Amino acid sequence: MFDIFQRLGASTLGILERLGRGATFLINILISLPTVLVRPRLLITQMFSIGVLSFSLIVISGLFVGMVLALQGFYTLSDFGAEGMLGVMVAASLVRELGPVVTGLLFAGRAGSALTAEIGLMKATEQLSGMEMMAVDPVARIITPRFLAGLISMPLLATLFTSVGVLGGYFIGVGLLGIDEGGYWSQMQSKIDFHQDIMNGLIKSVVFGWVVTWIAVFEGYDAIPTSEGVSRATTRTVVHSAFAILLLDFILTALMFGDV
Amino acid sequence: MTDTASLIKIRDVHFSRGSKLIFDGINMDIHRGKVTAIMGPSGTGKTTLLKLIGGQLVPSAGSIEVDGQNIHQLKHKQLYQLRKRMGMLFQSGALLTDITVFDNVAFPLREHTNLSESMIRHLVLMKLQAVGLRGARDLMPAELSGGMARRVALARAIALDPMMIMYDEPFTGQDPISLGVLVQLIKQLNDALGLSSIVVSHDVKETCLIADYVYLVSGGKVVEHGSPEQLTNSDSQWSQQFMKGMADGPVPFHYEAKDYVEDLLGLQS
């Protein structure tokens, strides 16, 4: 019986210790931000591998999500004779929720896992240790550019996802299902609010980018330096990021749209 | 040798990993301009000792002075300043895998100096020439053999002209030619560049060829020290067992276990 309490206590302490290490790690990243800002090349390289290389995944996913939304929305709205609202429905769903959330999940799977594996392997092959011994701070040189690149890339990718999704909805709604083209765009224009919808969606994507990249770089840096350790860290990045995104989405939605 | 000749002074250092005691009060002096070997059985904490000297690990008690500075009392900036004068050759080479051999050797120069690219090119080619790999400058680390990777890492370690280099198991897993080259390189670089070298190894023959002084470490303590000749001729059981590679002696061949017969018969002890 006491054994259960002991294990529960030990695992709780373990989680708190990891959270503490993660927070300290984040502070170190933030402290070394100026070093990255004076060496933009490090940031640009990482934005390419984190952001640009995620481009095709985001575009294709956004297109199909938009198309499916339009199909499903059309069948539901047509029951009420409200097919004209299809553009609003597609855009609101994408801007407020699906854009940031699905992009966040895809970002965690594509870029987050790659970040953890890369940093974990650098640790396992003593590259980070080697840098320390060359008097180069691995947090400033390796971690911070990746963190900042993730933070900048995520809202851009979410915006791309949403834009392509709206276009996907247009292809299906207007092109296939015969909705009025002017209605599709004008309803969207009049109902989607810049601050309430677009800015809040953007804030969500910044928050998700922050959290996913933080989890990814921390898991890599904290990984046990073996092949199994790196593999587990990579899995943890995807799982923890998914949980964090969904939980934070609920909290942010309640805060942003709770009084609507 | 006088005390002022010591580049590194290790005094009563204790270190544990979890409940496992790695060092139980070790003392060492690493002399300037010499090749000092730290030898001992596998798992005795030799690499840990290099990490303690480099300030990557902190001892639970005792002190380590490098060039007159207590390395574990230095602030982050001071420690990094000191590390610029310390080279380390990792067992794996620890080359950055996403950049070429040239860029690996140029890495510390680009990070720590404001030299022009043409000057960096000259310096990198000189360092690569010293290790015989000038022609391999455009290769990626994945295209190098283990011996070549270590030589590139050595070129990188001497890029900033350090006062000392720590070698972590430099001879492990090398073919005879690479081994011979590395042995000669370590000695030549030490003498030509006026370095102080610490070689952690359990390759007795090769290490004794170039070492001026040897520390034998086992069970968390320095069990013997002296010149390679002194240790080879020593009557101490430790020296005899390790220098001659004997299975019987103070270092047990078998990991601690219960009685063999009892174990085979499945008897509870």
Side-chain angles (χ1 to χ4, degrees):
Chain A
M1 183 65 185
F2 283 113
D3 195 37
I4 296 170
F5 287 119
Q6 195 181 22
R7 267 184 283 165
L8 192 69
S11 77
T12 310
L13 283 175
I15 291 167
L16 289 174
E17 195 210 339
R18 261 179 81 74
L19 278 173
R21 277 209 309 275
T24 315
F25 184 67
L26 182 63
I27 291 167
N28 284 335
I29 292 174
L30 298 178
I31 288 171
S32 55
L33 270 178
T35 42
V36 180
L37 297 175
V38 296
R39 295 177 69 182
R41 207 173 151 197
L42 292 177
L43 179 64
I44 291 165
T45 313
Q46 289 311 315
M47 281 193 67
F48 178 80
S49 68
I50 291 172
V52 177
L53 295 183
S54 302
F55 187 87
S56 54
L57 173 73
I58 296 298
V59 168
I60 293 167
S61 306
L63 188 69
F64 280 103
V65 168
M67 285 160 63
V68 169
L69 263 181
L71 272 179
Q72 294 282 14
F74 178 81
Y75 295 127
T76 308
L77 290 173
S78 60
D79 285 347
F80 305 99
E83 301 93 345
M85 298 296 284
L86 185 68
V88 181
M89 196 222 77
V90 169
S93 310
L94 283 166
V95 170
R96 287 182 171 198
E97 287 298 330
L98 292 173
V101 171
V102 178
T103 308
L105 295 172
L106 292 170
F107 184 74
R110 158 67 185 77
S113 59
L115 277 177
T116 304
E118 185 192 17
I119 295 166
L121 280 171
M122 287 183 88
K123 187 180 179 183
T125 53
E126 295 183 308
Q127 292 179 54
L128 299 182
S129 237
M131 272 190 195
E132 277 183 7
M133 284 310 297
M134 285 188 279
V136 177
D137 184 359
V139 173
R141 182 65 174 68
I142 298 292
I143 307 298
T144 308
R146 285 160 175 76
F147 177 78
L148 197 55
L151 195 61
I152 297 170
S153 300
M154 177 58 203
L156 294 175
L157 291 171
T159 307
L160 181 71
F161 182 97
T162 303
S163 310
V164 175
V166 169
L167 279 178
Y170 169 82
F171 294 143
I172 293 298
V174 178
L176 190 75
L177 302 170
I179 300 273
D180 177 59
E181 184 180 356
Y184 184 86
W185 294 117
S186 63
Q187 286 286 350
M188 198 185 297
Q189 198 178 353
S190 65
K191 298 286 181 190
I192 298 296
D193 183 70
F194 179 73
H195 291 285
Q196 184 66 23
D197 298 312
I198 295 174
M199 282 311 289
N200 281 340
L202 207 59
I203 289 167
K204 277 186 178 183
S205 63
V206 171
V207 172
F208 298 161
W210 175 290
V211 172
V212 170
T213 322
W214 175 30
I215 290 173
V217 292
F218 175 67
E219 287 292 353
Y221 201 76
D222 203 49
I224 297 167
T226 59
S227 45
E228 193 199 0
V230 175
S231 151
R232 280 172 185 250
T234 309
T235 308
R236 271 201 306 271
T237 290
V238 178
V239 173
H240 290 181
S241 296
F243 283 148
I245 287 169
L246 297 172
L247 177 70
L248 284 169
D249 183 48
F250 174 75
I251 295 169
L252 288 171
T253 304
L255 289 172
M256 291 167 172
F257 306 106
D259 57 342
V260 175
Chain B
M1 284 173 215
T2 61
D3 203 38
T4 49
S6 294
L7 177 65
I8 299 171
K9 291 179 197 166
I10 300 173
R11 295 289 177 267
D12 197 29
V13 164
H14 291 71
F15 183 77
S16 305
R17 273 189 202 279
S19 59
K20 194 185 174 194
L21 185 69
I22 309 286
F23 294 122
D24 187 15
I26 59 162
N27 293 285
M28 283 183 194
D29 282 285
I30 309 293
H31 297 292
R32 290 177 199 272
K34 305 287 179 190
V35 177
T36 306
I38 299 168
M39 296 202 283
S42 297
T44 200
K46 300 186 295 292
T47 304
T48 304
L49 186 60
L50 292 188
K51 291 194 170 177
L52 284 164
I53 294 171
Q56 288 186 298
L57 295 173
V58 181
S60 47
S63 69
I64 298 176
E65 267 186 30
V66 179
D67 199 27
Q69 301 181 72
N70 186 331
I71 197 148
H72 298 106
Q73 286 180 353
L74 295 177
K75 292 191 173 140
H76 188 264
K77 243 185 185 168
Q78 294 169 315
L79 176 63
Y80 272 48
Q81 281 300 325
L82 185 60
R83 279 184 185 161
K84 286 181 194 171
R85 300 192 290 137
M86 301 165 79
M88 179 146 174
L89 184 74
F90 286 84
Q91 197 173 346
S92 60
L95 295 175
L96 300 172
T97 49
D98 58 337
I99 54 178
T100 63
V101 164
F102 182 95
D103 289 332
N104 261 288
V105 181
F107 184 81
L109 294 166
R110 287 180 178 144
E111 290 291 321
H112 295 306
T113 68
N114 292 319
L115 296 173
S116 65
E117 270 307 304
S118 68
M119 181 65 86
I120 286 175
R121 183 177 178 275
H122 279 101
L123 285 171
V124 170
L125 293 183
M126 282 161 65
K127 304 297 176 188
L128 283 173
Q129 175 74 10
V131 299
L133 290 174
R134 188 167 44 84
R137 75 187 94 161
D138 295 325
L139 297 181
M140 295 300 284
E143 298 173 277
L144 303 174
S145 68
M148 287 166 82
R150 261 175 238 186
R151 281 153 64 194
V152 173
L154 187 50
R156 188 178 65 177
I158 58 171
L160 289 173
D161 295 325
M163 62 180 175
M164 58 175 280
I165 299 192
M166 298 186 275
Y167 298 88
D168 185 11
E169 303 281 9
F171 311 125
T172 306
Q174 298 296 307
D175 65 68
I177 299 170
S178 300
L179 191 67
V181 169
L182 272 171
V183 169
Q184 287 310 313
L185 258 179
I186 292 172
K187 186 66 179 168
Q188 281 168 9
L189 287 175
N190 191 77
D191 296 346
L193 302 178
L195 300 168
S196 306
S197 303
I198 306 171
V199 182
V200 153
S201 178
H202 45 220
D203 294 283
V204 177
K205 197 179 130 203
E206 289 74 22
T207 309
C208 285
L209 276 176
I210 53 168
D212 297 301
Y213 205 78
V214 179
Y215 283 93
L216 274 186
V217 180
S218 185
K221 287 183 179 296
V222 173
V223 290
E224 283 289 321
H225 58 99
S227 68
E229 295 76 28
Q230 283 172 328
L231 291 190
T232 310
N233 300 323
S234 167
D235 294 333
S236 147
Q237 284 182 308
W238 291 100
S239 303
Q240 287 296 315
Q241 187 191 9
F242 193 76
M243 303 301 276
K244 294 179 180 167
M246 298 188 296
D248 293 322
V251 180
F253 170 65
H254 291 285
Y255 193 78
E256 198 177 328
K258 67 179 178 180
D259 184 73
Y260 187 36
V261 176
E262 278 181 14
D263 213 0
L264 284 177
L265 295 174
L267 300 173
Q268 295 292 321
S269 55

